[in-house]
């Protein structure tokens, strides 16, 4: 379905930079901008700021440059051939792209909150719209996907490359389709945003381990109160409530899929006290661990944050 030809991440071109392909090229070109740029696409002029993406269709005349300084982007040249079993514009069951969004409050402060855009009527093409600039929500996420695609192109295990690359492309383009359909104003990133996302990934990967405000505030070299303020602003939940939620979710997985006793679960989920575990589990789910395992089984939803 997809074939990567070449690409790069955080590629820099010194001023003055001008790339012109007046007859286009035979493949698709995906650009994710880290700098300002001016585009001429099929006779149309467009200005772009950092944080925009564009997918240029094959055989489209194009030119782009940055006359105000260095040009920098992530880029990918690829070929795309729909296969016979592919469903175009098929609605996913539960699309879950862009989990947070940012906005200004009346005082001018930046707020990052959970994205509540309804997804019932969203449909995606396999590819996002071509020859159009649109803002994207998380540049680092897209950069990581492009880096992984380039790695798979060079180092994938025999027999796995095609499947792996198709899967990565579908993730990449599902998110780009969502961003193009729901453009958000480009706002300055929250301070320490990427580091905070890494902190939360670490918590998700190992909720049973010791996680504390003091430890992560020290790692980021900020005060504990400022850490808590940034964490809540970015994820829409306090650090303490979030780690409780992650540990309870972990315990639910173990209750669903193992025969471990409740006593064994307590330590595996990061609790030092069985009473503490019981209290938090019921506060989050509305059930005791035994009730959940006996009566609810799989599919229960968390009732509180």
């Amino acid at each position: 379905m997809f074939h990567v030809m070449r690409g790069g991440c955080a590629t820099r071109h010194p001023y003055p930079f001008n790339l012109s392909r007046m007859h286009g090229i035979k493949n698709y070109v995906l650009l994710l901008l880290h700098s300002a740029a001016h585009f001429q696409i099929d006779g149309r002029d467009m200005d772009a700021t950092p944080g925009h993406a564009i997918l240029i269709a094959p055989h489209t005349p194009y030119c782009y440059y940055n006359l105000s300084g260095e040009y920098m982007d992530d880029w990918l040249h690829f070929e795309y051939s729909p296969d016979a079993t592919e469903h175009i514009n098929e609605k996913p069951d539960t699309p879950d792209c862009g989990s947070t969004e940012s906005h200004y409050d009346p005082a001018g402060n930046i707020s990052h909150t959970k994205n509540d855009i309804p997804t019932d009527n969203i449909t995606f093409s396999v590819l996002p719209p071509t020859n159009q600039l649109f803002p994207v929500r998380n540049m680092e996420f897209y950069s990581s996907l492009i880096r992984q695609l380039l790695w798979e192109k060079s180092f994938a295990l025999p027999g796995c490359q095609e499947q792996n690359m198709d899967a990565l492309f579908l993730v990449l383009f599902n998110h780009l389709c969502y961003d193009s359909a729901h453009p958000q104003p480009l706002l300055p990133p929250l301070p320490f945003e990427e580091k905070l996302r890494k902190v939360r990934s670490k918590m998700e990967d190992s909720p049973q381990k010791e996680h504390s405000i003091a430890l992560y505030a020290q790692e980021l070299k900020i005060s504990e109160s400022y850490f808590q303020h940034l964490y809540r602003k970015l994820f829409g939940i306090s650090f303490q409530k979030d780690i409780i939620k992650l540990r309870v979710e972990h315990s639910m997985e173990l209750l669903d899929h193992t025969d471990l006793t409740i006593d064994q679960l307590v330590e595996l989920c990061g609790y030092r006290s069985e009473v503490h575990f019981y209290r938090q589990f019921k506060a989050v789910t509305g059930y005791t661990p035994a009730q959940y395992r006996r009566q609810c089984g799989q599919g229960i939803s968390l009732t509180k944050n």
Side-chain angles (χ1 to χ4, degrees), residues 95-106:
D96 188 25
C97 304
S99 60
T100 61
E101 62 182 28
S102 306
H103 57 84
Y104 287 105
D105 65 20

Side-chain angles (χ1 to χ4, degrees), residues 8-221:
C9 287
T11 304
R12 298 174 180 270
H13 298 277
Y15 172 85
F17 168 75
N18 186 319
L19 189 148
S20 179
R21 301 190 188 277
M22 300 316 296
H23 301 288
I25 56 177
K26 65 179 182 179
N27 55 266
Y28 286 92
V29 180
L30 175 65
L31 303 174
L32 295 164
L33 304 182
H34 293 277
S35 69
H38 180 80
F39 284 83
Q40 294 175 341
I41 307 288
D42 204 15
R44 294 175 297 125
D45 286 278
M46 297 178 281
D47 288 310
T49 55
H52 278 78
I54 187 167
L55 178 63
I56 302 173
H59 308 295
T60 301
Y62 68 91
C63 171
Y64 59 91
Y65 51 85
N66 182 10
L67 293 180
S68 61
E70 178 185 69
Y71 174 83
M72 179 178 172
D73 66 8
D74 300 336
W75 59 283
L76 198 63
H77 286 229
F78 67 94
E79 295 175 336
Y80 167 62
S81 302
D83 61 34
T85 60
E86 184 179 297
H87 298 284
I88 305 298
N89 290 325
E90 181 177 5
K91 184 171 71 174
D93 291 336
T94 53
D96 188 25
C97 304
S99 60
T100 61
E101 62 182 28
S102 306
H103 57 84
Y104 287 105
D105 65 20
N109 297 314
I110 302 171
S111 175
H112 296 241
T113 59
K114 186 169 180 62
N115 185 356
D116 293 322
I117 297 172
T119 57
D120 292 344
N121 298 318
I122 292 175
T123 59
F124 294 129
S125 300
V126 172
L127 298 179
T130 57
N131 305 332
Q132 300 177 27
L133 285 162
F134 56 90
V136 295
R137 297 163 188 259
N138 190 337
M139 285 287 288
E140 179 55 35
F141 169 75
Y142 289 117
S143 296
S144 68
L145 285 174
I146 291 177
R147 282 193 293 268
Q148 188 62 36
L149 280 164
L150 296 174
W151 189 94
E152 294 288 343
K153 172 179 169 59
S154 299
F155 305 111
L157 294 172
C160 297
Q161 185 184 71
E162 184 176 344
Q163 277 188 312
N164 290 354
M165 295 184 76
D166 282 352
L168 287 166
F169 265 113
L170 289 175
V171 172
L172 173 66
F173 289 137
N174 276 344
H175 282 265
L176 286 172
C177 285
Y178 189 96
D179 282 356
S180 67
H182 299 90
Q184 299 293 311
L186 291 173
L187 301 174
L190 197 68
F192 302 99
E193 182 167 334
E194 287 305 319
K195 291 183 178 179
L196 286 166
R197 292 189 186 280
K198 289 178 180 177
V199 164
R200 196 176 189 282
S201 293
K202 191 185 299 185
M203 292 162 58
E204 286 182 309
D205 291 342
S206 55
Q208 75 280 7
K209 293 186 178 179
E210 183 69 28
H211 300 282
S212 71
I213 293 168
L215 172 66
Y216 291 124
Q218 185 176 14
E219 282 187 10
L220 271 59
K221 296 181 172 59

Side-chain angles (χ1 to χ4, degrees), residues 292-303:
Y292 172 78
R293 172 173 270 173
R294 183 173 60 251
Q295 298 176 12
C296 302
Q298 300 184 20
I300 187 173
S301 298
L302 300 182
T303 60

Side-chain angles (χ1 to χ4, degrees), residues 218-232:
Q218 185 176 14
E219 282 187 10
L220 271 59
K221 296 181 172 59
I222 58 178
S223 70
E224 293 181 23
S225 60
Y226 189 43
F227 173 85
Q228 292 179 82
H229 169 74
L230 293 177
Y231 194 96
R232 188 179 189 93

